[in-house]
Amino acid sequence: MNPACAHIIDDDEAIRDALQWLFKTRDVACATWPSAEEFLAAVQPDWRGCAVIDIRMAGMSGLECFDALRARSNLLPVVFITGHGDVPMAVAALKKGAFDFIEKPFNDSDLVDVVVRALDADAQRQVAAATRETVEARLALLTAREREVMEQILAGKYNKVIADHLNISMRTVEAHRSKVFDKMAVRSAVELAQLINLVGGR
């Protein structure tokens, strides 16, 4: 997997160089791109980090770059650099899921702080995605009957009620319950519910 990186996308070479130097002084890994088109041609689904995009550029604009990323289901956090007159556009982008924007002229520390928060947000998203994949893999191990028992457990039903509902013996319910807990790697119904909530319920 690629290491986390702040991708600076700006058609002004002087700004790219200045931001690259700034980020390096704060130990923030970064890469620079002279256009949205070049960045979009290179970006991969497994890239981690964030994108720092000038909202106005020659060729494809920052907003168009953001829209293109989201159209690919790429969820890299995006921080826009805007001029005063572009603030309404940046606010509209926030409503569409952009991470934040910072207005020129900006304080260097403020920009780095926003970028660090964006990097942290992406790291948390990656962890959550990995957790979801793990839960999905565990769910795939359950038999149809074990899933039925799990649903009853999640509904807060006691073993006797589950047995009556599924027309099976209490001993069978207990056996299925034990297998569900083993396969889902939990020790209680509460832990099971917390795990299932990570994938939006099943």
Side-chain angles (χ1 to χ4, degrees):
M1 184 177 284
N2 287 289
C5 176
H7 295 274
I8 304 163
I9 306 157
D10 200 303
D11 59 354
D12 187 323
E13 183 177 6
I15 291 179
R16 291 198 307 274
D17 289 346
L19 292 182
Q20 185 175 40
W21 176 84
L22 171 65
F23 289 164
K24 285 184 176 179
T25 64
R26 292 282 293 268
D27 295 321
V28 175
C30 61
T32 62
W33 306 88
S35 70
E37 290 89 343
E38 288 193 34
F39 173 70
L40 289 171
V43 67
Q44 298 297 314
D46 66 342
W47 281 13
R48 298 182 297 135
C50 69
V52 181
I53 311 177
D54 193 331
I55 208 163
R56 284 191 186 273
M57 293 184 286
M60 180 180 282
S61 72
L63 284 175
E64 290 170 333
C65 181
F66 171 73
D67 288 340
L69 281 173
R70 293 302 183 262
R72 300 180 185 182
S73 298
N74 187 304
L75 299 178
L76 274 179
V78 171
V79 176
F80 283 112
I81 296 176
T82 71
H84 177 69
D86 298 325
V87 169
M89 281 195 295
V91 171
L94 289 182
K95 293 178 180 177
K96 292 164 62 175
F99 183 79
D100 207 343
F101 72 91
I102 192 159
E103 189 178 347
K104 300 175 187 175
F106 50 78
N107 177 282
D108 288 353
S109 291
D110 289 346
L111 175 60
V112 175
D113 288 346
V114 169
V115 168
V116 168
R117 289 203 310 272
L119 292 169
D120 288 344
D122 188 62
Q124 292 171 14
R125 180 180 64 83
Q126 296 286 344
V127 169
T131 301
R132 282 195 298 273
E133 288 179 8
T134 299
V135 175
E136 294 283 6
R138 292 176 188 173
L139 284 168
L141 298 175
L142 300 179
T143 65
R145 179 61 87 185
E146 287 165 356
R147 274 184 173 267
E148 288 179 324
V149 171
M150 182 185 74
E151 295 296 340
Q152 296 295 306
I153 294 170
L154 293 172
K157 303 289 178 61
Y158 292 109
N159 285 354
K160 184 179 186 312
V161 176
I162 297 173
D164 291 343
H165 180 76
L166 298 179
N167 197 29
I168 55 179
S169 70
M170 282 269 289
R171 187 179 297 275
T172 302
V173 171
E174 290 166 1
H176 285 315
R177 186 186 190 99
S178 177
K179 287 181 180 177
V180 168
F181 283 11
D182 285 345
K183 290 180 179 180
M184 297 304 294
V186 298
R187 294 168 296 179
S188 69
V190 172
E191 285 187 16
L192 179 63
Q194 291 171 340
L195 201 63
I196 296 302
N197 283 338
L198 292 174
V199 291
R202 288 292 165 188

